Amino acid sequence: MTNTPYAEVIGDPIAHSKSPLIHGFWLEKLGLAGDYRATHVVADDLADFFARRSADPDWRGCNITVPHKVAALDHVPDPGDVRGMIGAANTVFRGEDGALIATNTDAAGFLSPIADLDLAGQPVVVVGAGGAARAVLFALARSNVGRVTLLNRTPLKGAALLAKFGLKGDALPLTARLPEAALLVNTSVLGMTGHDPLDLDLTPLPAEAVVYDIVYAPLETPLLKAARARDLETVDGLEMLIGQAAVAFELFFGAAPPREHDGELRARLLA
Ligand code: ATR
């Protein structure tokens, strides 16, 4: 008899995670026998968690959230190029031989809503230099973007990331005037509920520029409001959240999620 395959999201705290809703929605739509749950794991139990789960043949893997994204790499035999480049994993799954592999689906999830944009050689603005910025810069470097203007409260951190990802450009303070750019991405906490808004003068952006905010609480950030007021195309943080989950879902359950239901999924996430 085979038992129900399952995956989960681990973190501390974990109650706020949207991942069970997203993966559960897709499992239900596909009629797949599978389960996806949220599991509270504290740092001291992380090694034990991976040891127990890797011995469970029904376990397909997990998503990883704060504060385990870096530490998880120590408990997985194959951290891929995640350790050296992004430095943090948000997904652990089983390879064909069953061994655990760490990856970070934020980079592909970030690109998925802008897959039709040809970014090669295009100038881009990135705001922020934290963990989320690393996944975004990794994805942008893979997309062969042109110059990157990285705006951050601490420009030195931005300069270090540009160098790390082999990107040409400038690291500047948040007060710098924007250059002309095809894409502007906010990866910082600015605009998130409880934080100051990201207050940029968008005037230098051309009419065809896309403004992308990976913040999803609130969904309409002051940055996206300002972009819409200028009739610029916008991408919100729920699109990246769903995009990164979609990559992980396929790694866990071996089926592509039914993205034609994204409208219904977004409504559920916002309810
Ligand atoms: P994450 O892993 O989610 O990206 P993080 O590593 O804490 O989170 O990074 C948060 C980002 O928001 C950083 O770019 C940070 O700027 P610094 O690199 O200067 O710390 C930025 N940030 C956080 N609080 C900020 C504030 N009050 N004003 C401006 N930027 C802020």
Side-chain angles (χ1 to χ4, degrees), residues 51-109:
R52 276 186 284 116
R53 289 297 199 262
S54 61
D56 179 351
D58 300 321
W59 187 71
R60 297 297 180 83
C62 64
N63 288 120
I64 301 154
T65 186
V66 177
H68 305 317
K69 286 186 165 195
V70 176
L73 292 170
D74 293 336
H75 305 290
V76 173
D78 182 0
D81 65 355
V82 169
R83 186 195 293 278
M85 291 306 280
I86 303 179
N90 76 338
T91 304
V92 169
F93 65 104
R94 288 189 189 278
E96 282 182 7
D97 60 357
L100 303 189
I101 301 174
T103 188
N104 192 312
T105 67
D106 282 337

